[in-house]
Each structure stands twice: as structure tokens, then as C-alpha cells.
Amino acid sequence: MTIYESDLPGVGKKFEVELEDGKRLVIVTHNTGKREVFLKPNADADGDKLFDLSDRLARTVGTILEGAYFQPVQTEQVETMLGDETYLEWYGVTDESDFAGQRLAEANIRERTGVSIVAIQRDDELISPPTPETVIEVGDTLVVIGDREDCAEFEELLGDGYVGE
């Protein structure tokens, strides 16, 4: 996927996102915060306006698309980059996981990998922040924060299809 960015003097910025079928999604961000979204059938064609959003609504829709409101867990692993080196990732706990049935304090995840479990999604309940006494249960989704290397170490520690695989 390629994204083209260009300045629109006096207006704001334009981003064109190449889609798999050759079409382009065009997002114009005005200096006022307003966003306009267009769809172009190809790079050289004019775009058809799909919709526009206020700054506040665009930010809300963006967080929904990013996964902050609802994170589907059908995928094996989900990650969100929070900064240059910080990731937020979701891992599902299976019945084969070594951590299933352990308290966070017993699992020693932070000491062993460097990541922190910042939340646990359990059915319709969000445990945030979990305490050292919180028990990791089969079916939980662990929300983990750490740098790329620590997340990779966490994933390796949980390897063999235990979590996130």
C-alpha cells in the first residue's frame, strides 16, 4: 500500500491511498480540521466525493477504525503502534497457555519479557488495570504494551500456539 501526501496551500493536506484494485482513496484535511473523502477509479481520474466529516467526528471515526473502541479478536494478533517504539497488542489466551489459571504476579510477565499487561478483556468485562492478584483465564484477551523487541519476546515465550497464534 502506497500513500501519497501533498500540501494544498491555503487549504491543508491531501493524502491519496492506493487501494488493491487500482482505485485511490483521497482524504483532504483542511486547516479548519474538516475532512473530505473522495474515491478515484484510478490515479489520473477525478474523484467522487463520498462524505465529509468535522474534525471531532473524523477523530472518533479514526479511533474506531484503528480499533480503540472495539478490537476484533478473530485475527491471530493485533497491534497498534502508539509511538515510534511503543506497541499495543492483543493476545487471546487458549487452554494450552502456560499462563492460564495463574495470577499476574505468578506469571512474572513483565520481569520475563519487559511488556506490561495493561488490560484484560474477559467476555463483556474490561479489567483495567489488572492487579497482581488478577488471574489469567482461558478466553481472556490480554492487552499488552511494550517495545517491538519486548513484544516479540512475549510472543516467543508464549509460542507453540499458546497465545496470539
Side-chain angles (χ1 to χ4, degrees):
M1 169 179 61
T2 304
I3 300 173
Y4 303 94
E5 178 181 334
S6 56
D7 289 323
L8 299 175
V11 176
K13 284 208 178 263
K14 177 174 79 170
F15 300 90
E16 288 193 34
V17 181
E18 280 186 355
L19 304 176
E20 291 177 8
D21 59 2
K23 295 178 182 175
R24 288 192 178 195
L25 187 66
V26 180
I27 301 143
V28 177
T29 302
H30 292 256
N31 293 332
T32 62
K34 175 183 169 182
R35 304 328 190 266
E36 293 179 293
V37 181
F38 301 84
L39 183 61
K40 293 170 52 172
N42 61 59
D44 300 322
D46 289 333
D48 293 323
K49 186 174 183 177
L50 300 175
F51 56 87
D52 56 41
L53 302 167
S54 67
D55 182 60
R56 182 174 181 188
L57 183 55
R59 291 176 189 276
T60 301
V61 169
T63 57
I64 292 168
L65 291 172
E66 189 265 334
Y69 280 94
F70 169 75
Q71 185 63 56
V73 255
Q74 293 121 337
T75 58
E76 293 176 0
Q77 175 185 344
V78 181
E79 69 177 33
T80 300
M81 190 168 182
L82 298 176
D84 288 343
E85 299 293 326
T86 305
Y87 289 81
L88 188 65
E89 300 192 20
W90 287 255
Y91 296 92
V93 178
T94 68
D95 55 356
E96 289 105 18
S97 172
D98 288 338
F99 297 136
Q102 288 186 4
R103 293 179 302 116
L104 284 175
E106 295 170 323
N108 255 352
I109 292 170
R110 184 178 310 146
E111 292 77 14
R112 293 168 74 184
T113 66
V115 302
S116 296
I117 296 177
V118 295
I120 298 175
Q121 180 70 46
R122 182 174 293 149
D123 299 319
D124 292 333
E125 176 187 11
L126 180 67
I127 304 168
S128 177
T131 68
E133 300 304 312
T134 303
V135 175
I136 300 170
E137 296 180 5
V138 171
D140 284 352
T141 299
L142 306 179
V143 182
V144 174
I145 191 169
D147 66 26
R148 168 54 54 220
E149 293 78 25
D150 290 346
C151 289
E153 191 171 332
F154 176 71
E155 194 169 345
E156 184 178 317
L157 177 69
L158 302 173
D160 300 316
Y162 292 151
V163 176
E165 306 221 359

